[in-house]
Amino acid sequence: LERDSGLHFLLQLETALSDGELYAALLRQGIRFNPLSVYYRHPDEAPEHTFLLSYSALSPDALESALDVLSGLL
C-alpha cells in the first residue's frame, strides 16, 4: 500500500507569521504541515497561509495534539 497517498485537506490560517516561520515552528514541535507553496512550480503564486494536511495515516489523537500545538502558535 502507498502510505503517502490518501486523504488531504487544505487549512487556511489567519496569522501574522510567515508560512516559513510557521512551518519551522511546527517542525520544532515534530509536526509536519507543509505550506501549499511547496507544491507550486512558482511558490510566490500560492495562496498565503494555506497548508496541506494529510490525515490518511494519522490517528485522531495525533491530529488533535497537532492542532493544539498549532492553535498555541497562532
Side-chain angles (χ1 to χ4, degrees), residues 25-39:
L26 288 167
L27 275 181
R28 286 192 293 274
Q29 298 292 325
I31 300 167
R32 187 173 163 212
F33 288 167
N34 287 326
L36 190 58
S37 60
V38 302
Y39 301 99

Side-chain angles (χ1 to χ4, degrees), residues 11-73:
L11 178 65
Q12 190 169 36
L13 304 169
E14 289 186 28
T15 179
L17 297 173
S18 72
D19 288 356
E21 290 169 328
L22 187 55
Y23 178 71
L26 288 167
L27 275 181
R28 286 192 293 274
Q29 298 292 325
I31 300 167
R32 187 173 163 212
F33 288 167
N34 287 326
L36 190 58
S37 60
V38 302
Y39 301 99
Y40 271 62
R41 183 174 181 186
H42 302 285
D44 57 318
E45 294 176 1
E48 283 189 310
H49 313 304
T50 303
F51 287 74
L52 180 73
L53 284 72
S54 173
Y55 61 95
S56 59
L58 191 62
S59 74
D61 289 339
L63 180 58
E64 184 176 348
S65 177
L67 292 176
D68 286 344
V69 169
L70 179 60
S71 90
L73 291 171

